[in-house]
Amino acid sequence: MKVFIDGKEGTTGLRIYERLAVRSDLTLYTLPEEQRKDPQARREALNAVDIAFLCLPDVAAREAVAMIENPHTRVIDASTAHRTAPGWVYGFPELSAERSDAVRSAARVAVPGCHASGFIALVAPLVQAGILSREQALFCYSLTGYSGGGKKMIAEYEGQDRSSLLDAPRVYGLSQAHKHLPEMQALTGMAAPPVFCPVVGDFYSGMLVTVPLTAGMLQNRATDEDIRTVYRSLYTGPVVHYADAADENGFLSACAYTGRDDMEISVQGNRERIVLAARYDNLGKGASGAAVELLNLMTGAQQTEGLVLC
């Protein structure tokens, strides 16, 4: 099985490369440094492999797809470009057996966004179960490590001349036009995207996504225990799993799953005020780990091959 990573020098691409380079079931197609941005060299590579990973800005990802003429080249796109595009499968197989099957047979698969992964994992099953109305207005608070901002933000946080403003968490996406909002709405089936509050903190990687609810927001007399029942039934692992007692003495750390590729789903609060929570690594199930999981499903390998789950 021949694989090419277009954009392997970036944060996501490099992690994918490190995971795949040690595997004996794959052959990695690489370009010399002087050719990695050469359009003709990239075109040849994209058409010479079985699986092409795109770890590129959105415009470059669309250009790369347009270069592919080989009908046997399947694509896993880690950019935002194709997450809601017709003909592409959204790569969160844990949502249903049907979606998992769709990933296995797809020619074009989009890797979910890091923030979006947690929100969709929490909300989509509740909409499907009739616990949340599609018309319900929702809020999402998501805390991430700075590696989610790529090389530029990593350099900003780790540079010798870093600003003191980086010492405290920073809210961003203030215009409510964050690039993950379209997939957050589309994959949950909500009538509108949530009010979204992403926050970047002074830690390298890790993610905690929360969605607060009140009892009055639930449909059909559902309770917090009904939510737990839905999650227990759906998220049984090995990658996404439900946890009954997920907190650490009353705290939830966004770093709890740093370096791992799995995701923990939990329900906090009480019958009147509920907090849905998803914890994972923004570079793991939120990016590179998710991409490797998709590769495994598409190639018939064990789903967890090459993943770090503990």
Side-chain angles (χ1 to χ4, degrees):
M1 188 68 63
K2 292 182 290 185
V3 177
F4 174 59
I5 305 170
D6 197 0
K8 78 176 181 65
E9 294 74 19
T11 306
T12 299
L14 183 59
R15 281 214 170 188
I16 294 173
Y17 179 81
E18 291 171 345
R19 301 288 180 91
L20 303 186
V22 297
R23 288 177 55 166
S24 60
D25 60 327
L26 304 171
T27 299
L28 287 180
Y29 192 120
T30 59
L31 294 175
E33 176 62 25
E34 64 273 14
Q35 292 185 353
R36 68 181 182 86
K37 293 186 178 181
D38 179 87
Q40 184 56 35
R42 290 175 56 224
R43 181 186 298 273
E44 292 176 1
L46 289 165
N47 284 282
V49 297
D50 301 290
I51 300 283
F53 285 95
L54 307 182
C55 301
L56 304 164
D58 288 2
V59 172
R62 294 188 183 97
E63 292 174 348
V65 172
M67 292 179 181
I68 299 174
E69 299 171 344
N70 183 351
H72 300 294
T73 297
R74 305 167 76 188
V75 181
I76 301 174
D77 184 8
S79 80
T80 313
H82 298 104
R83 290 174 184 162
T84 58
W88 287 74
V89 173
Y90 192 80
F92 202 100
E94 289 81 10
L95 288 179
S96 67
E98 292 77 15
R99 186 166 297 277
S100 179
D101 290 341
V103 168
R104 294 177 195 275
S105 60
R108 301 287 185 268
V109 180
V111 181
C114 55
H115 295 289
S117 293
F119 179 79
I120 292 166
L122 294 170
V123 174
L126 304 187
V127 174
Q128 184 65 31
I131 292 176
L132 279 178
S133 166
R134 298 178 189 275
E135 306 298 324
Q136 178 63 58
L138 294 177
F139 175 85
C140 178
Y141 179 94
S142 183
L143 178 59
T144 182
Y146 58 77
S147 60
K151 286 186 174 181
K152 182 178 179 180
M153 184 172 285
I154 292 171
E156 183 182 14
Y157 270 87
E158 297 183 354
Q160 293 183 347
D161 299 325
R162 60 173 273 168
S163 167
S164 61
L165 294 176
L166 307 184
D167 295 342
R170 295 187 297 163
V171 178
Y172 64 106
L174 301 177
S175 66
Q176 288 302 305
H178 193 282
K179 64 181 181 178
H180 290 181
L181 287 173
E183 63 190 284
M184 293 165 79
Q185 179 181 354
L187 271 294
T188 56
M190 300 299 291
V195 176
F196 183 38
C197 183
V199 182
V200 59
D202 187 13
F203 57 100
Y204 183 74
S205 71
M207 182 160 273
L208 168 61
V209 177
T210 58
V211 178
L213 303 173
T214 64
M217 298 166 67
L218 307 183
Q219 301 291 298
N220 301 318
R221 298 185 179 180
T223 67
D224 57 326
E225 190 55 38
D226 293 318
I227 296 174
R228 293 185 178 92
T229 298
V230 170
Y231 290 159
R232 286 191 191 105
S233 175
L234 181 61
Y235 296 133
T236 58
V239 178
V240 182
H241 54 90
Y242 171 77
D244 266 319
D247 65 291
E248 300 91 23
N249 298 316
F251 292 87
L252 283 176
S253 171
C255 292
Y257 281 72
T258 295
R260 294 169 56 166
D261 296 315
D262 49 344
M263 174 187 285
E264 171 199 85
I265 301 294
S266 66
V267 180
Q268 310 295 329
N270 52 55
R271 291 180 67 90
E272 297 302 320
R273 294 179 300 282
I274 304 161
V275 177
L276 313 179
R279 291 198 294 183
Y280 48 106
D281 190 338
N282 59 287
L283 296 181
K285 184 58 172 169
S288 304
V292 172
E293 179 189 0
L294 296 172
L295 168 75
N296 292 338
L297 292 174
M298 294 169 70
T299 60
Q302 183 177 346
Q303 181 177 354
T304 57
E305 182 70 31
L307 300 184
V308 178
L309 301 178
C310 62

